């Protein structure tokens, strides 16, 4: 049997469920830490697991260039290579080709590009992307699509979306069904409701094990993103999992879960951790800020991670100022822990039928925090910029 | 009662013993990982402990500049700040002032210098160094000395050593005895046996809880270093622990333990880990080397660390090539694990009265390794250069 998802509770449009894969079951809504190049940056696999994370992302573009998909396969696949026993979702590489690679040339058959690492020439087609993801051993394979730039005129967005739909059909054709594995289609159409609806209809006609909403978190802002979800999600098959790609801040996740999204990935917790920012139950803290230099309090007294249970804000400030690796290590761990605790809280609230009240409490915690405005970047352009730019090499 | 050391077994000149401190007992011979700026680089305190390490080093020079000794004290001391519950030895800062600081001016009272971080002006005297180490909360405080440059003529080495001996007396005077804490004197005298003997006599006349051999691992080479140990160690009080500062490679440690050294610190395992080199029971491997790219074997099948039990050489190669933080994290962990296992093996061999046989077996393992000559840097100038240069900021 293919990968499957079953809903266990709903609260309004929000859903709690279980995704069953070849590498075990995962409760949704789920946040998947990003493991771009075969590692969640600055964390051991044990540490990722210790946060409660049960599913991670791998990146087709990065892994096809280094160490190479065939090499990963010869080493037993991505799970074995990175010692991650839970499910892995791989993206298709399309987004990174457009954002990182040089000399991209799109045609109807695929895209040709030069590696950002060494300038070598590569070609990615829907068929090759699916093959690479099979070589990596992905539990969830994503269709190769074109992430429509933002902003795009309606005709440009329509052409781009329709090519992605033709590619989705080719991906479906190329995908070899295996027990516990599945292929997700990606809804495109920019901010145009009619195009999103056309895209949903095209994908549903082909049929996938899950549906992603793509082309968001590319600078359109939270209101426009939520508007797309509002017009798109009601059209998707209720029986399949829904994945919002590359999103987002904690506030984005709250809003998207309330609209019916089941799966998330984003570099914000890992990348922010490496630059000294911590997401907490009382808002966002910038540990570079000198006001933390003698603060003996824990980062977040509600958090069970080592950064919070073992150390002071002052120590974390010191590590970040001194450019010690342990700073990014501890703050990444903390942020992933926070995202896991956030989604666990949402799952429990859905089951209890009190999602609205729970979200209000979470938001009140952020607002009541002692973070000064300059620390709290949760909704500012810097955070939006982070969201735009998915994981790149160090 | 002050910090104390008791010998539990000997084999030739080698000694096994227990160092009792305010933060617990530590078996010797012991290798102390270097925690320059309040962190063993790229490792959590839990990970350091998991290797079997029971005592770590802190650095007076780095910590006085950032975050500042008084600040560390206000935060509860170095143990609490870095969450290290075992004993900590702090060096005096003298070595780093000479190797890192700008515009150093030595006089009889102390040394004035500018910070390598921000150019700020600082002064270190024997009294201030002891005070800083007290503020940090060191279990073992080191006397401020002048690390005599190598090579030095006999008159220069004599003048330098004699000033260090006058400073040692001032450190003894400044040190406030506390239960489980102690002050170590440092033998200087370059490669001149008569000067080393004079230095030992001066220190023994003052009286310390332990004795370090300083001024080695500064480019003199292993034979010259061992020659200094051969002429110095028999003169030291047999009842006190002996610490060889800044040493060294695994082979250096074998030779020094056989000559009667009890304590070691060195940046080689941590720094080598960050640059892709791994010390193993079968020699040194350079994980940057392309020959590891498809090698599914563990780094060292005899090692219990996560790098060896969870991953392949191919994955470690990939992480290092991709500049992923997890590469330095795993290789540092492995190298510290290797150094801990090496010293544990030496302790057991001393108790069993088979140190010579054990060392021969360890050396045979290194020689039988599959590391090609270009990987095995155990005794080459690159390793010597590493040994010369103690821990610097990232």
């Amino acid at each position: 049997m293919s990968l499957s998802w079953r809903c266990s509770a709903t609260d309004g449009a929000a859903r709690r469920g279980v995704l069953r894969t070849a590498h075990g079951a995962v409760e949704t809504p789920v946040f998947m830490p990003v493991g771009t190049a075969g590692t969640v940056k600055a964390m051991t696999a044990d540490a990722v697991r210790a946060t409660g994370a049960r599913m991670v992302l791998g990146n087709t573009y990065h892994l096809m260039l280094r160490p190479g998909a065939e090499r990963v396969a010869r080493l037993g696949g991505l799970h074995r290579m990175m010692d991650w026993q839970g499910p892995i979702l791989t993206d298709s590489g399309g987004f990174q080709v457009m954002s990182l690679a040089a000399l991209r040339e799109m045609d109807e058959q695929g895209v040709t590009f030069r590696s950002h690492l060494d300038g070598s020439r590569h070609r990615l087609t829907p068929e090759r992307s699916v093959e690479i993801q099979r070589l990596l051993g992905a539990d969830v394979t994503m269709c190769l699509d074109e992430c429509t730039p933002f902003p795009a005129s309606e005709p440009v967005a329509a052409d781009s979306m329709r090519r992605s739909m033709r590619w989705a059909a080719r991906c479906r054709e190329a995908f070899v069904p295996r027990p516990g594995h599945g292929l997700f289609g990606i809804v495109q159409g920019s901010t145009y409701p009619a195009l999103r609806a056309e895209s949903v209809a095209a994908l549903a006609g082909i049929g996938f094990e899950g549906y992603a909403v793509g082309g968001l978190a590319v600078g359109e802002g939270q209101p426009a993103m939520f508007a797309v979800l509002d017009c798109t999600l009601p059209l998707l098959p209720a029986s399949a999992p829904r994945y919002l790609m590359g999103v987002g801040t904690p506030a984005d996740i709250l809003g998207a879960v309330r609209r019916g999204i089941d799966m998330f990935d984003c570099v914000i917790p890992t990348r922010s951790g490496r630059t000294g920012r911590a997401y907490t139950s009382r808002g966002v803290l910038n540990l570079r800020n000198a006001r933390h230099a003698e603060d003996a309090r824990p980062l977040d007294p509600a958090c069970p991670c080592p950064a919070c249970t073992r150390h002071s804000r002052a120590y974390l400030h010191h590590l970040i100022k001194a450019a010690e690796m342990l700073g990014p290590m501890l703050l990444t761990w903390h942020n992933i822990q926070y995202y896991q605790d956030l989604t666990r809280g949402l799952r429990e609230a859905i089951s209890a039928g009190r999602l609205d009240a729970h979200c209000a409490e979470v938001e009140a915690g952020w607002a009541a925090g002692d973070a000064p405005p300059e620390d709290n970047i949760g909704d500012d352009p810097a955070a939006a910029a982070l969201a735009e730019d998915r994981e790149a090499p160090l």
Side-chain angles (χ1 to χ4, degrees), chain A:
Chain A
M1 192 176 112
S2 287
L3 169 143
S4 68
W5 179 82
R6 178 166 301 196
C7 182
S8 62
T10 59
D11 185 351
R15 305 124 54 95
R16 181 176 184 170
V18 177
L19 185 72
R20 297 192 185 280
T21 78
H23 289 85
V26 173
E27 289 205 87
T28 65
V30 61
F31 179 80
M32 301 176 284
V34 176
T36 304
T39 155
V40 175
K41 289 184 191 299
M43 293 187 81
T44 64
D46 277 349
V48 175
R49 210 164 355 240
T51 65
R54 290 295 173 264
M55 185 166 185
V56 300
L57 219 76
N59 190 296
T60 290
Y61 172 82
H62 285 96
L63 292 167
M64 73 183 278
L65 297 182
R66 188 175 56 197
E70 277 74 9
R71 176 169 286 168
V72 173
R74 284 191 295 271
L75 292 168
L78 190 53
H79 292 83
R80 181 163 169 185
M81 191 177 87
M82 64 189 285
D83 187 37
W84 179 258
Q85 302 312 317
I88 297 176
L89 179 150
T90 47
D91 62 12
S92 67
F95 184 93
Q96 286 73 29
V97 167
M98 301 316 289
S99 57
L100 294 175
L103 301 171
R104 306 173 297 272
E105 287 169 25
M106 294 281 295
D107 58 62
E108 178 60 24
Q109 289 308 305
V111 55
T112 302
F113 61 93
R114 289 194 185 277
S115 161
H116 71 290
L117 298 174
D118 62 5
S120 58
R121 197 178 153 87
H122 298 268
R123 178 143 176 96
L124 205 54
T125 61
E127 292 76 14
R128 176 61 179 158
S129 176
V130 166
E131 180 184 27
I132 288 172
Q133 294 178 74
R134 181 182 58 74
L135 288 165
L136 298 175
D139 296 87
V140 176
T141 294
M142 298 303 299
C143 286
L144 183 69
D145 66 347
E146 184 186 44
C147 186
T148 309
F150 177 85
S153 70
E154 191 157 355
V156 167
D159 282 353
S160 169
M161 179 272 287
R162 286 170 193 147
R163 174 176 281 170
S164 288
M165 297 306 101
R166 294 190 295 275
W167 285 10
R170 288 167 54 189
C171 288
R172 178 81 278 180
E173 189 71 20
F175 182 81
V176 180
R178 285 148 289 154
H181 293 73
L183 178 67
F184 280 25
I186 305 173
V187 181
Q188 290 288 353
S190 190
T191 53
Y192 304 102
L195 296 182
R196 290 282 176 180
E198 181 185 330
S199 182
V200 168
L203 294 174
I206 301 168
F208 291 94
E209 284 74 58
Y211 296 87
V213 185
L216 295 177
V218 290
E220 76 283 357
Q222 197 190 66
M225 177 172 80
F226 285 169
V228 169
L229 296 184
D230 286 332
C231 75
T232 305
L233 299 190
L235 308 176
L236 284 169
S239 59
R242 300 162 182 171
Y243 164 32
L244 181 54
M245 303 181 77
V247 173
T249 64
D252 292 339
I253 289 175
L254 253 58
V257 164
R258 297 171 87 167
R259 288 166 170 83
I261 290 288
D262 308 302
M263 302 168 68
F264 299 89
D265 81 284
C266 189
V267 299
I268 285 182
T270 38
R271 182 172 293 172
S272 295
R274 295 201 300 284
T275 59
R277 287 192 294 275
Y279 286 82
T280 80
S281 61
R282 311 275 285 183
V284 185
L285 298 179
N286 182 350
L287 271 301
R288 287 195 177 278
N289 193 313
R291 73 192 181 88
H292 302 298
E294 298 230 0
D295 194 332
R297 292 177 299 168
L299 194 51
D300 188 342
C303 178
C305 87
C308 293
T309 56
R310 307 295 184 78
H311 299 296
S312 61
R313 295 181 186 188
Y315 182 57
L316 297 169
H317 169 79
H318 165 64
L319 293 176
I320 292 291
K321 292 293 284 185
E324 284 285 351
M325 270 192 217
L326 188 58
M329 287 164 61
L330 287 172
L331 290 178
T332 300
W333 190 326
H334 167 78
N335 284 341
I336 292 293
Q337 181 75 62
Y338 181 72
Y339 270 62
Q340 294 305 320
D341 290 351
L342 182 74
T343 44
R344 182 175 44 74
L346 294 170
R347 291 194 298 267
E348 292 170 358
I350 293 168
S351 289
R354 59 181 305 278
L355 184 60
D356 285 348
H358 177 75
C359 288
E361 289 160 15
V362 170
E363 288 164 342
W366 296 337
D370 57 1
E374 69 273 20
D375 269 22
N376 202 320
I377 53 124
D379 298 312
D380 83 354
L386 273 177
E388 278 176 54
D389 183 7
R390 294 192 206 172
E391 198 83 333
L394 254 184

